[in-house]
Amino acid sequence: MSTKENVQFSPTLPYSSYVDPEVFNEERIKIFSKNWILVGHASQLEKVGDFLTLDIAGEPIIVTHGTDGELRAFYNICPHRGMKVENSDKGNKKVLQCGYHGWTFKLDGNVNRAPNFKTNDLGEHSCMKSIRLEVQNAMIFVNLDKNAASLAEVYQEFLEGMKEYPFFDSLKLVRETRREVKANWKAVVDNYLECDHCSIAHPGFAKSFDISNFCTTTHDKFTYQYMAASKNAEGDQARFYWIWPNMMINVYPGDGNVNTIQVVPVDAETSLGIYRDYSLNEITTKEKEEYFKFVDQVRQEDFDLVEKLQKGLSSQAFSNGIFSPTEHAAVYFHELIDKNLQD
Ligand code: FES
Ligand SMILES: [Fe+2]
């Protein structure tokens, strides 16, 4: 006899993992210090001297474009006494200077001048510590783990699929917005990985796209969600990729309408969302403005959802939630979290 009580839904991770600083710290060590993390697009570092900075797993990182044309990543930490070297998010400099005792560094991370020291005597303190960096389809990734398998190996299937978008190399960054989200990074990813909430929370989005034909497929360390645009010709689809652990790439209909989202964990209940919009040219058309308005609206609706959700996750009412069968991408995400925390 089949009864409703027998139906088994997949459980979410325990809600405590969305609020507990100890779990957050474990994720920092076992996930964010061991995986490839998207840091930007090559168009952001086009010229010699261009740099960008960000935090990964609580570590300040800097990526530079050297005089030899190479992109490199370092810990943004001074080898003299541990000061954070560069404080801007991005810029262009010939040398980097530490604001404490004035040591300067070349774009390849080697010390340039160290007042009161002979630079030849500095040993391991003679350069900023380097980090692995790889570029694929003009997307720049770094990994804090020296022994991690290569990006091409880890994301083989995803990178194979990216060949469908040869225009990625020609994209230009046209807008970057950052927003502090008062929610655990996993809640932001969970929200991205299902569209059961779309008809309720995103009325504009639900009108523009045929969400009844929303499809989700899970793959090795990434998921792919897509649907047809209801007003456009067949095949003109919106496509959404989530790449383990915290990266998203969205390809909307239109000329190179690509945006990326990085969900940077800040603490157990705070994340930094970095939203980058790309285009094939830097001219902002009326159509583009409309498109920006559209994506901003959808983002705002999601911020509201996850920030309200975060409050419920610390309640004692439930210890976890359940996933519907159409939320299988989020189930996969939770399996990967579990697996990585056990390793
Ligand atoms: S800590 Fe950077 S120069 Fe002293
Ligand atoms: Fe959403």
Side-chain angles (χ1 to χ4, degrees):
M1 186 182 77
S2 118
T3 64
K4 277 187 181 159
E5 287 76 22
N6 287 339
V7 176
Q8 292 287 313
F9 297 108
S10 300
T12 67
L13 288 167
Y15 287 162
S16 57
S17 78
Y18 291 76
V19 295
D20 185 343
E22 265 177 44
V23 175
F24 180 82
N25 199 37
E26 216 188 328
E27 290 169 348
R28 196 173 65 77
I29 296 164
K30 294 187 173 170
I31 297 174
F32 288 93
S33 300
K34 289 193 177 303
N35 283 280
W36 289 97
I37 305 292
L38 179 70
V39 296
H41 185 268
S43 68
Q44 293 165 249
L45 296 166
E46 244 171 0
K47 296 189 288 295
V48 169
D50 283 351
F51 68 86
L52 61 85
T53 66
L54 81 158
D55 277 19
I56 294 176
E59 296 279 0
I61 304 300
I62 182 162
V63 183
T64 62
H65 183 145
T67 48
D68 57 358
E70 284 293 307
L71 298 183
R72 295 182 178 85
F74 313 98
Y75 289 92
N76 186 13
I77 296 293
C78 181
H80 177 210
R81 292 257 291 283
M83 181 82 164
K84 184 174 172 186
V85 177
E86 181 54 57
N87 291 296
S88 333
D89 290 342
K90 59 184 171 191
N92 183 286
K93 288 191 175 168
K94 286 199 172 70
V95 287
L96 306 165
Q97 181 165 41
C98 175
Y100 200 168
H101 309 94
W103 284 29
T104 55
F105 303 91
K106 297 176 196 154
L107 297 166
D108 65 2
N110 284 311
V111 73
N112 180 49
R113 282 196 64 239
N116 299 329
F117 287 93
K118 285 196 185 120
T119 48
N120 287 343
D121 298 342
L122 290 172
E124 69 154 333
H125 298 275
S126 66
C127 56
M128 294 166 81
K129 256 214 171 118
S130 71
I131 293 166
R132 288 178 67 190
L133 175 147
E134 287 191 33
V135 183
Q136 286 279 354
N137 296 74
M139 296 298 197
I140 307 165
F141 293 80
V142 301
N143 197 322
L144 299 185
D145 182 0
K146 282 198 165 73
N147 302 317
S150 72
L151 182 68
E153 211 175 305
V154 179
Y155 293 109
Q156 192 183 9
E157 190 186 351
F158 171 70
L159 294 170
E160 194 56 40
M162 283 291 109
K163 288 189 181 148
E164 210 185 316
Y165 308 109
F167 60 84
F168 261 54
D169 287 3
S170 320
L171 292 174
K172 299 264 176 262
L173 178 73
V174 287
R175 196 176 66 145
E176 177 177 308
T177 47
R178 290 172 181 237
R179 189 199 201 264
E180 185 186 83
V181 189
K182 296 303 291 172
N184 182 274
W185 73 277
K186 298 188 295 298
V188 183
V189 175
D190 288 346
N191 169 267
Y192 182 87
L193 289 178
E194 48 89 3
C195 204
D196 282 13
H197 71 274
C198 293
S199 60
I200 297 276
H202 302 306
F205 181 83
K207 225 194 275 167
S208 304
F209 293 96
D210 182 5
I211 58 168
S212 64
N213 280 321
F214 194 88
C215 304
T216 303
T217 54
T218 59
H219 306 266
D220 186 20
K221 290 182 225 62
F222 77 100
T223 65
Y224 173 43
Q225 303 172 83
Y226 61 97
M227 64 204 154
S230 54
K231 291 181 194 128
N232 295 9
E234 228 179 275
D236 214 0
Q237 295 176 333
R239 299 148 186 241
F240 309 99
Y241 296 88
W242 163 76
I243 307 112
W244 164 259
N246 66 333
M247 307 164 255
M248 294 105 171
I249 299 176
N250 305 325
V251 186
Y252 279 98
D255 233 8
N257 280 333
V258 172
N259 60 58
T260 60
I261 306 171
Q262 272 170 263
V263 187
V264 182
V266 175
D267 63 34
E269 301 204 61
T270 318
S271 309
L272 171 71
I274 305 178
Y275 300 83
R276 296 194 174 110
D277 294 292
Y278 297 90
S279 186
L280 284 178
N281 57 53
E282 283 154 75
I283 304 158
T284 309
T285 57
K286 196 145 191 273
E287 245 178 18
K288 200 81 186 173
E289 271 167 22
E290 285 297 311
Y291 158 79
F292 282 156
K293 238 191 253 168
F294 172 78
V295 294
D296 286 348
Q297 172 71 26
V298 177
R299 283 172 193 169
Q300 187 56 48
E301 289 159 356
D302 282 327
F303 295 143
D304 288 348
L305 288 178
V306 295
E307 290 188 341
K308 282 180 189 142
L309 175 84
Q310 186 68 31
K311 296 205 172 103
L313 298 175
S314 49
S315 160
Q316 55 187 1
F318 291 94
S319 58
N320 66 275
I322 48 173
F323 285 124
S324 82
T326 45
E327 295 177 301
H328 57 284
V331 173
Y332 177 53
F333 170 50
H334 287 208
E335 283 167 6
L336 283 179
I337 298 268
D338 253 345
K339 185 177 173 298
N340 277 260
L341 293 186
Q342 276 162 24
D343 282 350

